[in-house]
């Protein structure tokens, strides 16, 4: 099979239409159609089928597209070995949580535009479970995820994880309720606010796991009353007196909210860049991951 045709199939799995593949790879739609038809003849089975105005891969097409990722990455690695000065080029799809996109990915976008203009990023905002599911389905090339030191995430052995940065988190409470409790330990704070409902993430359980871990030490049973993944919305709910929740200590809260440091134990959010094992042989992905790691270390 011609590797160029495999690249057409891989892009079709990502784009869903011949026209989008043509625009992405710089060919005519007719050329894309002809090349994919030839690949189908070489494979001896249908690789795609109509889906309204778009097309979708058949099960055989999806399997071949998965092989195409490995084959094309190996070819890219071989070319890089022969030409170590070759400029990385391609589109890297990144799925990640909003804070990491703002803190890590946006600066990387600016740096890529200056130093590696042939590498582009496509950004999708996802909470960690969604980003990891997209990575497993080859819907993204890199996932930006987080866990907490008190609730470490167990990742699939088929992925590689690179640490990026850490940030301390505290307890967000109404400002009027913070008087006289600063400096208390985390279990003392949970006992102090035991009669308040908790606001936890709506699309990820990590912060709820942290709350329940500290609550077990404090001997209290937290009541989850609200779920929201937007930190701005969490603060709005706190100001409205609807509950308390975990918030970052390194970001100024909005008026009416106080973020109390959690001590003994403290709480650290840990950000990671995750890729499927073996995929970093693709030069653009390897470059993006390295830039993210450099920014995180800095």
């Amino acid at each position: 099979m011609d590797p160029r045709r495999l690249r057409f199939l891989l892009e079709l799995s990502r784009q869903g239409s011949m026209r989008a593949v043509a625009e992405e790879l710089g060919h005519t739609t007719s050329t894309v159609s002809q090349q994919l038809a030839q690949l189908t003849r070489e494979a001896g089975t249908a690789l795609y089928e109509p889906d309204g105005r778009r097309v979708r891969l058949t099960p055989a097409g999806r399997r071949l597209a998965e092989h195409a990722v490995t084959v094309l990455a190996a070819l890219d690695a071989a070319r890089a070995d022969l030409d170590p000065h070759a400029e990385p080029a391609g589109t890297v799809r990144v799925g990640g949580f909003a804070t990491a996109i703002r803190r890590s990915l946006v600066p990387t976008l600016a740096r890529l535009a200056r130093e590696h203009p042939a590498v582009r990023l496509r950004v999708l905002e996802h909470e960690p479970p969604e980003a990891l599911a997209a990575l497993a389905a080859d819907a993204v090339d890199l996932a930006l995820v987080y866990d907490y030191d008190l609730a470490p995430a167990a990742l699939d052995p088929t992925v590689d994880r690179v640490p990026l940065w850490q940030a301390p988190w505290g307890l967000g409470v109404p400002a009027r309720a913070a008087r006289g409790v600063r400096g208390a330990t985390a279990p003392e704070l949970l006992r102090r606010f035991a009669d308040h409902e908790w606001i936890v993430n709506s699309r990820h359980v990590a912060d709820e796991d942290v709350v329940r871990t500290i609550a077990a030490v404090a001997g209290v049973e937290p009541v989850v009353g609200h779920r929201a993944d937007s930190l701005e919305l969490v603060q709005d709910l706190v100001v409205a007196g609807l509950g308390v929740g975990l918030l970052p200590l390194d970001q100024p809260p909005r008026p009416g909210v106080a973020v109390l440091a959690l001590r003994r134990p403290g709480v650290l959010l840990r950000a990671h860049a995750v890729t499927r094992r073996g995929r970093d042989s693709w030069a653009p992905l390897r470059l993006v991951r390295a830039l993210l790691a450099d920014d995180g270390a800095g």
Side-chain angles (χ1 to χ4, degrees), residues 7 16 24 29 61 74-75 78 134 136 141 154 159-160 174 192-193 197 210 216 231 237-238 252 259 276 285 288:
R7 192 174 297 279
E24 178 70 21
T29 303
L75 288 173
D141 303 301
V159 302
D160 289 322
R192 166 65 177 77
F193 291 96
E197 291 188 334
V210 168
L231 295 182
L237 296 176
V238 171
V259 183
R276 294 174 71 173
L285 178 58
V288 170

Side-chain angles (χ1 to χ4, degrees), residues 171-224:
L171 178 61
V173 304
R176 62 184 180 276
R179 300 183 184 91
V181 295
R182 295 185 185 275
T185 66
E188 289 169 347
L189 285 176
L190 262 69
R191 286 193 290 268
R192 166 65 177 77
F193 291 96
D195 60 341
H196 289 62
E197 291 188 334
W198 280 85
I199 308 160
V200 299
N201 196 295
S202 61
R203 293 151 57 197
H204 193 22
V205 299
D207 60 335
E208 184 174 352
D209 290 343
V210 168
V211 171
R212 295 194 182 281
T213 296
I214 300 175
V217 176
V220 299
E221 180 64 31
V223 176
V224 174

Side-chain angles (χ1 to χ4, degrees), residues 106-117 290-292 294-295:
V106 171
T108 298
L109 274 165
R111 187 170 174 185
L112 285 173
R114 291 193 310 269
E115 302 175 8
H116 305 278
L291 292 178
L292 289 170
D294 286 346
D295 289 342

Side-chain angles (χ1 to χ4, degrees), residues 94-97 100-101 105 126 128 131 142-146 164 272-274 292:
V94 182
F97 64 106
I101 291 173
L105 204 58
H126 286 313
L142 185 148
L144 297 176
V145 303
Y146 68 87
L164 297 181
H272 312 274
V274 181
L292 289 170

Side-chain angles (χ1 to χ4, degrees), residues 40-276:
T40 297
R41 288 191 289 271
E42 292 172 351
T45 186
L47 299 177
Y48 53 92
E49 58 191 9
D51 182 22
R53 295 186 178 182
R54 298 167 64 83
V55 295
R56 62 184 175 193
L57 298 192
T58 63
R62 289 196 297 271
R63 290 197 300 273
L64 185 56
E66 291 177 356
H67 287 298
V69 173
T70 303
V71 170
L72 295 172
L75 288 173
D76 286 343
R79 293 189 186 100
D81 286 341
L82 294 174
D83 183 6
H85 303 295
E87 174 66 17
T91 300
V92 179
R93 303 162 299 162
V94 182
F97 64 106
T99 300
I101 291 173
R102 286 192 295 264
R103 178 169 174 168
S104 299
L105 204 58
V106 171
T108 298
L109 274 165
R111 187 170 174 185
L112 285 173
R114 291 193 310 269
E115 302 175 8
H116 305 278
V119 177
R120 295 181 295 170
L121 295 183
R122 284 190 181 154
V123 180
L124 300 93
E125 190 269 323
H126 286 313
E127 282 293 302
E130 301 161 347
L132 292 173
L135 186 69
D138 198 32
V140 299
D141 303 301
L142 185 148
L144 297 176
V145 303
Y146 68 87
D147 65 1
Y148 295 95
D149 57 344
L150 292 185
L155 295 183
D156 190 282
T158 62
V159 302
D160 289 322
R161 170 170 51 184
V162 173
L164 297 181
W165 44 266
Q166 298 181 344
W169 276 51
L171 178 61
V173 304
R176 62 184 180 276
R179 300 183 184 91
V181 295
R182 295 185 185 275
T185 66
E188 289 169 347
L189 285 176
L190 262 69
R191 286 193 290 268
R192 166 65 177 77
F193 291 96
D195 60 341
H196 289 62
E197 291 188 334
W198 280 85
I199 308 160
V200 299
N201 196 295
S202 61
R203 293 151 57 197
H204 193 22
V205 299
D207 60 335
E208 184 174 352
D209 290 343
V210 168
V211 171
R212 295 194 182 281
T213 296
I214 300 175
V217 176
V220 299
E221 180 64 31
V223 176
V224 174
H226 314 280
R227 297 182 181 273
D229 63 285
S230 162
L231 295 182
E232 290 78 11
L233 179 55
V234 170
Q235 295 191 66
D236 288 342
L237 296 176
V238 171
V239 171
L242 295 179
V244 298
L246 297 180
L247 288 171
L249 274 167
D250 60 352
Q251 299 176 25
R254 58 159 291 181
V257 176
V259 183
L260 304 173
L262 294 170
R263 301 184 178 89
R264 301 195 303 274
V267 175
L268 278 179
L269 179 143
R270 308 180 300 186
H272 312 274
V274 181
T275 56
R276 294 174 71 173

